[in-house]
Amino acid sequence: MRFEGKVAIVTGGASGIGRATALRLAAEGATVVMGDIDAEGGAALAAEGGGRIHFRPTDVTAEADIVALVAAAQELGGPHLLFNNAGAGGLRAPIDEIDLAGWDRTMALLLSSVALGIRHAAPAMTALGGGAIVNTASVAALAAGAAPTAYSVAKAGVRHLTRMAAADLARHRIRVNAVLPGFITTNIFASAMELTGTVRDTANAMIAQAASNAQPIRRAGRAEDIAAAVCFLLSDDASFITGTDLLVDGGLSVGPRHSWDPDTPGLFDALAVIAAK
Ligand SMILES: NC(=O)c1ccc[n+]([C@@H]2O[C@H](COP(=O)([O-])OP(=O)(O)OC[C@H]3O[C@@H](n4cnc5c(N)ncnc54)[C@H](O)[C@@H]3O)[C@@H](O)[C@H]2O)c1
């Protein structure tokens, strides 16, 4: 019960990583205030939370909604903890085809929302004597190839914002860290393709299969894998950790596939075949 007596804000908890994290925080004693645009998923999570999870309809791109979410946590005696996590795939165009409106929407959802979450939660945490914040970035923050350009740039921004906030807020005893998930089987991919119903279920099954072969650890990444890392960073076990990234990707980012998959030939394997001829 690492979070007994703590009040945590979680954004994007109606599905996937946020959902798993809200449930784990509640299971470990926290009272959770969860904000999401998905009212149905939010209500379902609250019903599953055994009275420990409170859902508040929230669009993280609206500053007033974030202010209201923090106020809801204050009414419950918090917030001591914040997980800035809501997100979606965003603009899919390459850089030479982007439109400004789509770029701005993506940045508002994935980067400005995190800045505003910190902006409004930090004074409330300071008044309580400190707190801990985790922001969801991505392996896409590290290199090209994992996600579209706008998404990847926003996540790289979240990574550096995390460091800047850690520097700014240490004097208030607030720690700020980022989690960088790899390929995690959630609804984010089907949602990006706007798939629904049985087509969505089929797509999710295909994604789960692809995810189990995507990295050196040969199983699909799960939302619970990220929740475990987030809860570590939010807990007192991480009390000397701030401004860091915790990469949770099953080894996805260790290198090109041939460096870890014996069935995938690399350059030297190809040269050896040529030399043998
Ligand atoms: N799944 C992955 O492989 C992966 C990898 C790296 C990073 N991430 C990041 O993890 C976070 C969670 O994604 P997920 O994979 O759990 O996806 P998901 O689609 O399962 O969950 C995202 C949640 O965010 C909510 N949301 C979207 N826009 C919102 C808004 N404007 N206001 C409030 N809530 C909003 C959705 O309703 C949904 O409940 C995102 O920031 C995503 O970019 C995911």
Side-chain angles (χ1 to χ4, degrees):
M1 300 297 275
R2 288 181 293 182
F3 304 112
E4 194 74 63
K6 306 279 189 194
V7 176
I9 297 173
V10 174
T11 68
S15 174
I17 292 167
R19 185 173 202 282
T21 305
L23 287 169
R24 177 134 188 195
L25 285 165
E28 293 202 46
T31 299
V32 177
V33 181
M34 196 287 279
D36 200 295
I37 44 170
D38 176 358
E40 200 181 318
L45 176 74
E48 210 178 312
R52 285 193 180 272
I53 303 180
H54 304 259
F55 172 58
R56 192 183 169 91
T58 303
D59 180 346
V60 295
T61 65
E63 186 172 12
D65 283 14
I66 292 177
V67 170
L69 195 62
V70 172
Q74 283 180 297
E75 278 170 27
L76 294 166
H80 307 91
L81 311 170
L82 167 64
F83 182 33
N84 279 311
N85 166 75
L91 183 67
R92 295 221 300 274
I95 190 64
D96 55 341
E97 292 173 20
I98 61 162
D99 66 279
L100 183 58
W103 177 269
D104 285 349
R105 269 199 308 277
T106 305
M107 294 299 151
L109 174 60
L110 295 174
L111 180 55
S112 304
S113 67
V114 178
L116 289 171
I118 299 170
R119 162 69 185 88
H120 292 294
M125 287 180 175
T126 301
L128 295 171
I133 298 172
V134 173
N135 305 317
T136 305
S138 168
V139 284
L142 303 177
T149 295
Y151 180 97
S152 303
V153 171
K155 292 299 190 181
V158 169
R159 195 170 171 236
H160 199 56
L161 170 63
T162 298
R163 285 190 284 256
M164 296 307 299
D168 284 345
L169 299 177
R171 69 187 191 282
H172 299 307
R173 298 167 55 87
I174 298 171
R175 298 183 298 104
V176 190
N177 291 292
V179 66
L180 275 60
F183 187 177
I184 309 300
T185 48
T186 70
N187 284 319
I188 197 167
F189 307 101
S191 297
M193 304 294 290
E194 296 177 9
L195 305 179
T196 53
T198 53
V199 182
R200 183 188 185 105
D201 295 341
T202 307
N204 277 340
M206 288 170 64
I207 287 162
Q209 184 56 45
S212 58
N213 298 322
Q215 63 278 310
I217 293 180
R218 291 191 179 219
R219 69 160 173 82
R222 296 185 287 255
E224 290 74 14
D225 295 317
I226 309 305
V230 173
C231 287
F232 163 67
L233 289 171
L234 289 176
S235 78
D236 288 344
D237 289 338
S239 64
F240 199 54
I241 301 177
T242 197
T244 198
D245 310 316
L246 185 46
L247 186 57
V248 187
D249 70 346
L252 183 66
S253 56
V254 295
R257 187 167 190 111
H258 62 78
S259 71
W260 50 266
D261 184 350
D263 297 330
T264 304
L267 176 62
F268 286 102
D269 300 301
L271 290 175
V273 170
I274 293 166
K277 282 185 180 167

